[in-house]
Amino acid sequence: MNMEAYGLAMTRLLAGSWRDDAAPISVDESCLLRFASFFRATGSAGLVANRLRGTPLAATNAAVELQHLFRMQAIHSVLQERQLADLFTHLREKGLEPILMKGWASGRLYPEPALRPTGDIDLALPPGDLERAREILTAGAGRWGDVDLHAEVPDLPDRAWKELWRRSRVVRLGAAEIRVLSPEDHLRQLCLHMLRHEIYRPVWLCDVAVALETLGVQIDWDYLQDGDARLHSWVKAGLRLAVQLLQPRVAGLPHRYRRNPPDWLRRNVLAQWGRCDVSARPQPDPRAFRTYFAEPKLLWHGIRQRWPNRLEAMLKMGVHPQSSLPIWSIQFAAMVRRAFGWAGRGTASPHALTGTEFVSIHSH
């Protein structure tokens, strides 16, 4: 099989993997063995272990290992829920009210939260509260695990903080109250975040599918598409990809999200997953690009280090997913922009996905 075919086989394991009544598995043991380490590394172990329950593949060594990781995820999930409840209660007592993004905000939508691995706690706050929150968390000396503080919501540059806050919701976690994004903003943020990171973790696409399936009846589809039109074209592409590959059951999903995603995007994602190689993701070159001009024989190496794939280039340059521009020209522009730092922080196009600065507080 080629890489796209392997990626498609992977989607057959992931489609509906959060449910107990998914379709029969049509993947053999050799594929599972090929995928197992990738599932472990990218946080999909719990979902695949759940999918394999009660099937002949459940007794294989790969499936047993994934099931063990699922049990470990369940333990970590309980521990983080306690940390999260304590953190929000403590910050509220100090006069701060952050919005939780991703992580538990996504995991709570799964039938069993432990299906999704825990990670850092990502909190969004107005810029004026960031320093005070940092001081509080630093004083906590790792009491709440690893916490990332973000100035507003990095992946929603066209959403004003006041509007995000007004539409946000408070949900219960035991005796604590956790503030999360509205269903529309949560779904939009999930799509733009996974695209910005090139969808290299399948669990991110599963998050989108589960959010669609769980929140579908609550979503204001008109508000979802409000804001920058080009950004929404990428949201639409992400939703269509999740619908096509993972087949969520969505009540009232508008027809515009049921159409096929751009073929190049689908092929890009499937080929990337099919390679099953997390280490293949390019690492930033610590060397300043201008230094390569002093050693011309190394210039090609510098260009290769900074040459983005199609998805990364189009996102960096804020190009529409259905653009007819030659892809090499977009990639070249994105490479030059990266190499010479033309995308100064705070000067990026409002429809380019570039991320923002944040403060990270880690446990010791």
Side-chain angles (χ1 to χ4, degrees), residues 79-252:
L79 292 174
Q80 190 181 74
E81 284 188 351
R82 293 176 180 175
Q83 291 176 325
L84 192 56
D86 181 45
L87 172 60
F88 264 77
T89 300
H90 186 77
L91 290 176
R92 193 170 286 117
E93 290 172 351
K94 298 292 184 179
L96 298 180
E97 184 82 7
I99 297 176
L100 179 69
M101 305 180 295
K102 303 176 292 181
W104 184 84
S106 292
R108 73 183 185 89
L109 302 177
Y110 283 78
E112 192 173 344
L115 289 170
R116 189 193 192 282
T118 58
D120 295 349
I121 295 174
D122 286 273
L123 302 180
L125 298 113
D129 288 347
L130 207 62
E131 181 58 26
R132 177 161 165 73
R134 185 193 66 80
E135 292 173 356
I136 293 170
L137 292 172
T138 301
R143 169 178 166 185
W144 302 289
D146 296 341
V147 182
D148 289 342
L149 301 176
H150 300 261
E152 302 185 356
V153 180
D155 298 302
L156 301 179
D158 59 339
R159 291 282 204 255
W161 174 258
K162 288 184 178 179
E163 182 67 3
L164 289 170
W165 172 266
R166 186 181 72 81
R167 288 181 170 269
S168 66
R169 298 184 176 185
V170 172
V171 296
R172 303 291 302 186
L173 175 55
E177 294 183 336
I178 310 296
R179 186 171 293 276
V180 297
L181 291 167
S182 70
E184 300 84 7
D185 291 328
H186 175 73
L187 189 59
R188 204 164 181 269
Q189 194 259 344
L190 289 180
C191 285
L192 295 176
H193 175 265
M194 74 173 184
L195 285 162
R196 181 161 60 85
H197 291 284
E198 303 165 51
I199 324 182
Y200 76 93
R201 295 183 66 194
V203 71
W204 288 335
L205 194 65
C206 292
D207 286 346
V208 172
V210 171
L212 277 171
E213 189 165 295
T214 307
L215 301 173
V217 295
Q218 305 176 35
I219 292 174
D220 179 341
W221 298 103
D222 291 331
Y223 171 64
L224 178 69
Q225 68 179 10
D226 277 352
D228 186 273
R230 203 169 305 185
L231 270 182
H232 184 69
S233 70
W234 283 102
V235 172
K236 187 159 54 179
L239 293 178
R240 289 176 174 179
L241 189 70
V243 169
Q244 183 183 86
L245 295 183
L246 301 181
Q247 302 168 16
R249 300 165 183 168
V250 192

Side-chain angles (χ1 to χ4, degrees), residues 335-353:
M335 188 279 294
V336 171
R337 190 175 185 178
R338 174 194 289 172
F340 293 100
W342 289 0
R345 295 186 184 188
T347 63
S349 164
H351 46 251
L353 301 182

